[in-house]
Amino acid sequence: MSEMMISIAATARTPNVRLDADAGRMTLSGESYPEDAGKFYGPILESLTEYLEQDADKALMVDVAMVYFNSSSAKALMNLFQLLEKAAEAGRAVSVRWFFDPDDDMMEELGEDFAEDFVHASFSLEPGMLEAAD
């Protein structure tokens, strides 16, 4: 159906972002403190919105393995998670896995905070590192 793919390589200030529409998988990993979070995340949110509207019957697995992010990136993540929760409320199977270093209490707590906003989508906390995909 869809051939949509986002592939943004990580930089010193931005995370690795992948959206493979055919596989129904999205990954965000690394650090996020871009100078303009809206400019960086805007196109990602637009593409995700388009994907969620096009392939409403396809399950989506989202893996998040952030090492660090600033407050403007946290807001962008919240916007992303709201899109996912809305899609799950509409009937799409959505799963989010929040990976964190077991020694990083802050990232674990941030994951717990995000998890509280999910009612319809599945959100799980995963101590450990995300295995690199291809």
Side-chain angles (χ1 to χ4, degrees):
M1 287 187 165
S2 173
E3 295 177 11
M4 185 183 318
M5 176 86 168
I6 295 173
S7 185
I8 302 171
T11 69
R13 299 178 67 93
T14 61
N16 180 58
V17 181
R18 289 180 47 91
L19 172 60
D20 183 339
D22 291 333
R25 180 138 188 225
M26 183 172 191
T27 306
L28 292 102
S29 60
E31 297 187 20
S32 182
Y33 51 102
E35 288 185 30
D36 185 343
K39 184 176 180 180
F40 178 78
Y41 283 99
I44 295 166
L45 293 172
E46 288 174 19
S47 292
L48 179 61
T49 299
E50 182 181 327
Y51 167 73
L52 292 171
E53 290 171 354
Q54 284 181 359
D55 295 321
D57 58 337
K58 182 179 267 189
L60 178 62
M61 167 69 74
V62 180
D63 290 333
V64 181
M66 302 300 282
V67 177
Y68 170 81
F69 54 88
N70 63 7
S71 58
S72 59
S73 294
K75 183 175 182 191
L77 286 173
M78 179 64 76
N79 291 338
L80 184 142
F81 291 153
Q82 288 173 344
L83 285 174
L84 297 174
E85 176 63 10
K86 185 177 176 184
E89 185 177 7
R92 179 190 291 266
V94 177
S95 301
V96 178
R97 298 187 300 176
W98 181 269
F99 291 86
F100 62 94
D101 182 321
D103 295 327
D104 189 343
D105 294 340
M106 175 70 82
M107 208 46 72
E108 181 178 8
E109 289 172 14
L110 287 166
E112 290 170 353
D113 289 346
F114 282 126
E116 291 175 5
D117 294 325
F118 283 87
V119 175
H120 300 93
S122 164
F123 191 102
S124 61
L125 295 166
E126 305 286 340
M129 301 309 291
L130 173 64
E131 295 298 320
D134 11 326

